[in-house]
Amino acid sequence: MLAEYWPVLLFLLVATGIGVALLIAGSLLGPKRPDAEKLSPYECGFEAFEDARMKFDVRYYLIAILFIIFDLEIAFLFPWAVVFTKIGLIALIEMALFLALLVVGFVYIWKKGALEWE
Amino acid sequence: MHADLLLAAWTLAKILAISVPLIIAVAMYSYWERKVIGWMHVRMGPNKIGPWGLLQAFADVFKLLFKEIVVPANADKPLFYLAPVLAVAPAFAAWAVIPFDQGVVLANLNVGLLYLLAMTSMGVYGIILAGWASNSRYALLGAMRSAAQVVSYEIAMGMALVCVLVLAGSLNLTDIVNAQAGGKGLLDWFWLPLLPVFVIYFVAGVAETNRAPFDVAEGESEIVAGFHVEYSGSAFAVFFLAEYANMILISFLASVMFLGGWLSPFPASWGLIGQGSWIWLFAKAFAFAFMYLWFRATFPRYRYDQIMRLGWKVFIPITIVWVLVAGCMKYFGWITAGA
């Protein structure tokens, strides 16, 4: 069974190789004529800012946390969906409960305004 | 030892037999995109290089290869080079588990769907690293938007896939296609019992690849080119390759999950055209790929808050409900896989 995974690993290496090869080809074939203006960050011709690493909106952070929670729920649903027919009614009821709890949390974050982007 | 080497070489040949046509498909897809959008605008589209402009995309590739890769002075150089590689590797590696025909698959994994979900999630690292490493305001803003959008729609996509799983009862993609087989042709496929999540899956796929009308990540009217504004030459070409490979991947996935993969849309009793073939899969995938272009020429760009509202407040609730509906369908025997 493990033999099925070798092609996947090899494909990952080849895929990485394609990206690296293109970058190397580009840096070998392309010219290299740097100057201060060219290397400054692109700001539509305005004087560039010193550093672009600024504070960003807290809502991005919230989305990231919510994503982890919901993606975990999906990870829990995967094995359930596979063995669902073997377990039968109990699986259906338990998953209905699980989803109900998820929905309670979802309604909470909705009402709290975590999903608002006015 | 010798046999192992031979096996490795054979596997490598199979990988190249997927990757090389994929690269050519990306080139022709970008040509087709410009051509189709040209026709929709009542323009000609590219028509100078090669017959009907067919070689345009290859000319573009060679032009990009001979351009300078400008690395901004303030950029984080290792990450700046790492980002495009991280974007392209999963976009290609995901093809390892796509079944092109009965038994024609590189790695027939039992966890194929899980692997696909992992690979499509990896793409966001390339985007956010590119935005961070560039050290440019436009790039950072584009990356933040893009990352938040991609992860939001990934939830809807994952939930839609759970619905498919419930009906198919397997994570193996070949099994999922075979579960859609039956005597009735296209009426056996999962798009019918899962119609709402089928639509959600493809729309979320468009949002996941940051394509129009969800392309605020590189909305050129506000943040120029978004996360890859500082990338030029072949570094930009790698991002381009990743984006288009992902679009084609989503088209194939939508065909495999909901439209019966290589199965024929006609009843099996209709003789030759009722038989499954890779041609059907490619025709279905082409239809989805065309929809991407059609969307781009038709719809105005969504506002960012509208995108997030659609993802979180419309798609996710519908998919959560439909997971339960699919469970009931399966439990009460309304749908029998592989009947």
Side-chain angles (χ1 to χ4, degrees), chain A residues 4-5 8 11 15 22 26 31 33 38-39 41-42 44 50-53 67 74 78 84-85 89 106 116-117, chain B residues 66 68 71-74 89 92 106-108 115 132 135-136 138 151 155 171 230 234 305 312-313 327 330-331:
Chain A
E4 284 285 357
Y5 290 82
V8 173
F11 206 144
L22 267 169
R33 287 188 285 274
K38 195 197 265 181
L39 296 188
Y42 179 72
C44 295
E50 277 300 299
D51 197 281
R53 274 137 202 191
F67 164 69
I74 292 169
F78 266 58
F84 172 56
T85 40
L89 187 62
F106 191 63
E116 302 300 330
W117 285 80
Chain B
F66 286 96
E68 181 175 357
V71 184
N74 295 334
F92 271 71
L106 179 71
N108 196 17
Y115 171 74
W132 179 258
N135 206 351
S136 151
Y138 292 122
V151 297
I155 298 168
L171 285 160
E230 298 290 356
S234 65
D305 61 316
W312 283 94
K313 296 190 174 176
K330 182 82 174 174
Y331 179 74

Side-chain angles (χ1 to χ4, degrees), chain A residues 5 49 74 82 88 93 112:
Chain A
Y5 290 82
F49 287 95
I74 292 169
V82 173
I93 294 170
K112 270 282 176 187

Side-chain angles (χ1 to χ4, degrees), chain B residues 310-321:
Chain B
L310 182 69
W312 283 94
K313 296 190 174 176
V314 180
F315 283 3
I316 292 176
I318 293 177
T319 46
I320 289 177
V321 169

Side-chain angles (χ1 to χ4, degrees), chain A residues 84 92, chain B residues 166-167 192-195 322-336:
Chain A
F84 172 56
L92 190 63
Chain B
V166 171
L167 294 192
L192 198 57
L194 300 178
L195 191 59
W322 220 263
V323 167
L324 214 58
V325 173
C328 290
M329 281 179 181
K330 182 82 174 174
Y331 179 74
F332 294 111
W334 300 336
I335 298 291
T336 38

Side-chain angles (χ1 to χ4, degrees), chain B residues 43-66:
Chain B
R43 293 185 282 113
M44 301 284 272
N47 64 349
K48 293 291 182 219
I49 302 167
W52 308 290
L54 268 173
L55 298 179
Q56 178 71 46
F58 298 98
D60 290 343
V61 169
F62 282 106
K63 184 197 76 180
L64 282 175
L65 276 179
F66 286 96

